[in-house]
Amino acid sequence: MQRPPFSVVAEPFDADDSVRLRAAARIEVDRTYGRPADRGRPLTGATAAAHVIARDRTGLALGTASLSAAGDGVFEVRRLFVRPDSRGQGVGDLLLLELLAQAEELQAPAVVAEIGALQPHAAALLTRNGFVRIMPFGPYREDSESVCFSRAL
């Protein structure tokens, strides 16, 4: 089996590439919904239990993702984002798999995720990686546009 042309590693939450990728994610999601669309708990260096970044062989940052505590030992996937020019190559899958591995190390019983109703590619990513749709949880309970998923570990 051939090694992918990129790797996923833990990096500091506030590293320049991470900050830039999260800003790009925010712009894309806000543009998709025509308004600020972030309804979750604030994601900061203090609230991120894990943070990973995908880089190609030259070191170019391709994508990023974080985990934050959702309660009862469960972690939530946050700000999973892949640059548009790097999509369709498995970057999102490897970011998600690395977060799942880190959640297992943290002995989480499950991982949850929330996406908006206008993000079918994100739903497909979660589904093909073993997530199932659930009722909205936590801060998303009253949001009619929230689509939530869970995967037991």
Side-chain angles (χ1 to χ4, degrees), residues 78-131:
R78 302 292 306 276
R79 298 290 190 279
L80 194 153
F81 176 75
V82 177
R83 292 167 32 141
D85 61 352
S86 299
R87 293 177 184 164
Q89 302 172 40
V91 175
D93 293 287
L94 284 184
L95 284 165
L96 187 55
L97 291 173
E98 180 58 29
L99 288 182
L100 291 169
Q102 292 203 19
E104 284 181 343
E105 287 180 21
L106 294 167
Q107 300 180 339
V111 174
V112 294
E114 184 272 346
I115 62 171
L118 301 178
Q119 296 172 280
H121 291 89
L125 169 70
L126 293 164
T127 301
R128 77 173 166 263
N129 283 286
F131 283 75

Side-chain angles (χ1 to χ4, degrees), residues 2 11 34 45 56 94 99 117 141 150:
Q2 189 175 9
E11 288 195 16
D56 71 10
L94 284 184
L99 288 182
R141 274 193 185 102
S150 179

